[in-house]
Amino acid sequence: MSVIRVPSAQVALSTASVYPERTPDAFELAARLGYDGVEIMVGADPVSQDVDVLERLVDHYQLPILAIHAPCLLVTQRVWGKDPWAKLKRAQQAAERVGAKTVVVHPPFRWQRDYARDFEVGLARMREETDVVFAVENMFPLRARGNKVVPYSPDWNPVEYDFPQVTLDLSHTAVSGSDAWEMFTKLGDRLAHLHLADGVGIPNRDEHLVPGRGNQPCAPILERLAGNGFDGLVVLEINTRKAASRTERIDDLAEGLAFARLHLAAAANA
């Protein structure tokens, strides 16, 4: 008699995946499609910034918030103020309040000199004050006229640095021209969080394709994670802004979830 094993990893939907729809729409679609929860991309949408409203959405849809993505993008430099440490503290407090176990954070920009200088030490200090995990995400360099420009400090790639928890983004590995499998294997137990997406590696274009539509090793990574009993979070973070209709957007979100479930379960039951 065979035994069906359920993968340990939960699969969440990033609210960024429904843009230009908004945070409440992400809850609605995640609940409808059967995601385990959502990751809140804190951004320009006022709902994403308001923990009171987020708690009401959790109650209404009976769907947990599993991660908070701090407002680290260029376009969110003024969200929750301009002090990057205050942003991280607020993200931590939001995560604690809604019961999310992870805060996703980007490496500092080079012009954030004080923040960049103290980033590793400051994160270590914050980790001592909370059970929330701060998972530093791999980013990518920019290319202009044959030159590589790195806007992050100490680097766009946290794999080579002493961060105990890392987010691996499989669209960012494509645009950076990285060997995603090598990064994945180097991280080992430091991999706390996976942004599931795909890409073909067009310079300066962060594609965030539906997994399986690019050339990144999405399936093997999911299967290895499941085989290793990964209990972190897999988050579908794709770009659906060019979807011709809401139906097409929903189809993409459903396809991404099915891809994740299929490859997680395939390894768990191998």
Side-chain angles (χ1 to χ4, degrees):
M1 179 176 171
S2 61
V3 177
I4 297 176
R5 298 178 180 175
V6 178
S8 301
Q10 293 179 297
V11 183
L13 178 65
S14 169
T15 56
S17 297
V18 306
Y19 183 83
E21 295 191 59
R22 303 178 73 183
T23 302
D25 303 301
F27 275 88
E28 176 211 336
L29 295 178
R32 183 196 304 187
L33 294 172
Y35 282 85
D36 294 313
V38 296
E39 174 176 300
I40 302 297
M41 172 71 81
V42 179
D45 179 2
V47 172
S48 72
Q49 305 172 27
D50 191 325
V51 180
D52 290 333
V53 179
L54 293 175
E55 287 185 319
R56 289 200 291 272
L57 288 169
V58 168
D59 290 340
H60 179 75
Y61 289 102
Q62 290 298 290
L63 197 67
I65 296 170
L66 298 174
I68 301 288
H69 194 308
C72 307
L73 303 173
L74 277 174
V75 295
T76 60
Q77 288 298 288
R78 294 182 180 274
V79 173
W80 283 355
K82 294 187 288 185
D83 180 351
W85 287 117
K87 290 172 182 277
L88 272 192
K89 187 64 178 178
R90 194 160 173 180
Q92 173 194 324
Q93 292 168 341
E96 290 170 340
R97 185 165 158 188
V98 301
K101 71 175 186 178
T102 305
V103 167
V104 178
V105 57
H106 292 177
F109 290 112
R110 286 199 172 275
W111 57 83
Q112 296 174 309
R113 294 181 181 178
D114 293 342
Y115 179 49
R117 184 187 63 239
D118 298 332
F119 186 61
E120 292 181 73
V121 173
L123 271 189
R125 184 170 58 247
M126 291 184 72
R127 282 194 299 269
E128 294 175 355
E129 301 169 354
T130 181
D131 292 329
V132 172
V133 168
F134 295 92
V136 183
E137 185 172 1
N138 63 302
M139 299 304 293
F140 49 88
L142 303 175
R143 290 176 172 81
R145 299 179 181 178
N147 296 316
K148 186 169 74 172
V149 179
V150 179
Y152 301 98
S153 179
D155 195 17
W156 60 269
N157 181 8
V159 174
E160 304 297 338
Y161 292 84
D162 191 26
F163 298 114
Q165 289 93 21
V166 172
T167 295
L168 182 64
D169 186 301
L170 295 175
S171 176
H172 296 174
T173 57
V175 69
S176 66
S178 304
D179 183 327
W181 185 258
E182 180 182 12
M183 291 176 69
F184 168 70
T185 54
K186 278 186 175 181
L187 281 171
D189 292 342
R190 295 167 59 211
L191 178 61
H193 202 76
L194 180 71
H195 276 167
L196 181 61
D198 215 332
V200 298
I202 300 173
N204 299 334
R205 186 178 297 177
D206 189 13
E207 299 164 280
H208 284 276
L209 302 179
V210 174
R213 297 185 188 176
N215 57 22
Q216 298 302 288
C218 300
I221 285 176
L222 288 171
E223 291 169 8
R224 178 64 64 84
L225 287 176
N228 291 345
F230 178 69
D231 62 355
L233 192 59
V234 174
V235 178
L236 187 78
E237 189 182 76
I238 62 172
N239 183 349
T240 65
R241 70 190 65 184
K242 292 184 179 179
S245 65
R246 195 171 203 248
T247 298
E248 184 175 306
R249 172 172 295 113
I250 293 170
D251 288 345
D252 285 349
L253 300 178
E255 181 180 334
L257 177 60
F259 185 99
R261 297 264 194 242
L262 172 66
H263 291 287
L264 288 169
N269 291 292

